[in-house]
Amino acid sequence: MTAASRARLLAELGRYDQAEAELRLGLLARPGDPDLLALLSAVLRLAGRPDDALAAADAAIQAGPGSAGAHAERAENLIALSRTREAVEAASEAARLRPGEPEVHRVLARAHAAGREFGRARTAARQALAFDPRSVPSLLTLAEVERIAGRRRAAARATRAALAEDPEHPGGRWLIALLNAERLHVGAAMRGLRELAADHPDRLRAEALAWPILGVLAGLRRGLAVGLPLTLAVRLATPWWSLAGLFSQGIALVVAVVVVSFTARVLLPAGRMPWRCLALLPRRAVVTELVAAGVSVPLLLWYGLSAAWPPLALAALAVGVLIISGTLRVRVTSLNPR
């Protein structure tokens, strides 16, 4: 078995450190091998190290400028780094070098989708499907393009077509769960994720199973970041508008009721699983967000019923803590994807 074969097997098992070690040993014997360097780039990317992976892809291209696989891998890393224009250029070069390879068209589709060029992304995905209309990877690429574009029905159709070919495919099952989550079909999404986690325990991070809590917190940050300043702004207009105080109270009550309704709609059907996964998340940040959100809503209700300034001021403070803590947590998570 070659170093590349062993590395692929280890990567499939999620043992990325060992796969990297195998490839680096192989490169000692065959320095500058573009295929080994491209495979090293893929392993580093899967391990959550896109900067290192991009360096390996660049080395692969330098060693073999005509390697379509190296250009495609470079595109994948540029997508991960949100450098979408460069990703499209790299993926287009891969497609030019190997136009008969479905995978390079799938990479091009992902690059266009990352750049919000959905028409071109669909064209590339369908080009990949033209080689094999029943290809599960190509169907799922089209599904992901449609999901990002906001066309959830089209995404669901493509995903079901993929699962008809391979009912146990983890990518298809994940996408169905994700689509259910986006449509707030919380119970169905959690069932799908629990089953997927049982069959593929190494595939899902804690964030995936805790998405109802994280999703609620994200929704509360957005909603309260709009609702509370609006409430405050209308209240400050009282000297010029006699009804401003009453309208401000009404806004506060509406915001509080909407927030509570949204939270209940998501968390009640989710069950206990998301809460069990909190232990695997940055707990201090999440707990801070939960406390800040839990405090801000009763304070808004208090203000809406009493028109007193102190609860509105305290609610503003709590929402500020919620937004800052959530922003810092998301940033830390993005810097530490594993």
Side-chain angles (χ1 to χ4, degrees), residues 46-327:
L46 292 170
R49 295 161 56 189
D51 290 304
D52 294 337
L54 181 60
D58 288 338
I61 291 171
Q62 186 175 5
S67 170
H71 287 282
E73 185 53 44
R74 184 172 189 270
E76 294 278 26
N77 286 293
L78 289 166
I79 293 169
L81 292 167
S82 300
R83 293 163 58 179
T84 54
R85 182 174 298 179
E86 295 172 82
V88 169
E89 292 172 358
S92 298
E93 179 63 12
R96 185 190 68 80
L97 290 168
R98 199 182 298 168
E101 174 59 51
E103 173 56 24
V104 298
H105 295 285
R106 292 195 289 265
V107 176
L108 181 57
R110 289 192 287 273
H112 279 307
R116 315 295 292 179
E117 298 175 327
F118 299 121
R120 293 180 178 181
R122 289 188 196 96
T123 299
R126 287 169 181 155
Q127 181 62 48
L129 276 168
F131 295 101
D132 179 5
R134 299 173 63 182
S135 166
V136 172
S138 297
L139 285 166
L140 290 179
T141 298
L142 177 61
E144 184 62 21
V145 168
E146 298 291 18
R147 187 192 71 82
I148 297 172
R151 299 175 58 183
R152 295 193 181 100
R153 289 185 180 179
R157 283 196 300 271
T159 306
R160 292 191 190 99
L163 290 173
E165 301 296 329
D166 182 359
E168 297 302 316
H169 193 282
R173 294 165 64 189
W174 161 256
L175 200 48
I176 285 291
L178 189 58
L179 288 166
N180 280 329
E182 290 178 348
R183 290 179 292 192
L184 289 184
H185 297 169
V186 180
M190 289 305 298
R191 283 194 299 273
L193 289 173
R194 281 196 298 268
E195 293 168 1
L196 185 57
D199 294 339
H200 303 275
D202 296 331
R203 184 176 178 86
L204 296 183
R205 297 184 300 172
E207 288 89 341
L209 292 171
W211 75 264
I213 296 174
L214 301 181
V216 163
L217 289 173
L220 294 187
R221 285 198 302 274
R222 290 192 294 269
L224 291 172
V226 173
L228 191 138
L230 180 61
T231 301
L232 185 59
V234 174
R235 176 60 188 263
L236 291 173
T238 303
W240 303 278
W241 182 27
S242 60
L243 295 178
L246 186 60
F247 271 90
S248 177
Q249 290 176 257
I251 293 170
L253 290 172
V254 169
V255 170
V257 169
V258 169
V259 163
V260 170
S261 299
F262 170 70
T263 301
R265 183 180 177 186
V266 175
L267 293 185
L268 291 180
R272 298 178 182 177
M273 177 64 74
W275 299 101
R276 293 172 180 168
C277 293
L278 281 184
L280 304 175
L281 297 175
R283 180 182 289 186
R284 182 177 298 177
V286 175
V287 170
T288 300
E289 291 176 71
L290 288 170
V291 170
V295 168
S296 62
V297 175
L299 287 170
L300 276 175
L301 287 171
W302 181 8
Y303 168 74
L305 295 173
S306 69
W309 267 107
L312 184 58
L314 291 173
L317 178 63
V319 170
V321 171
L322 172 66
I323 293 171
I324 293 170
S325 180
T327 302

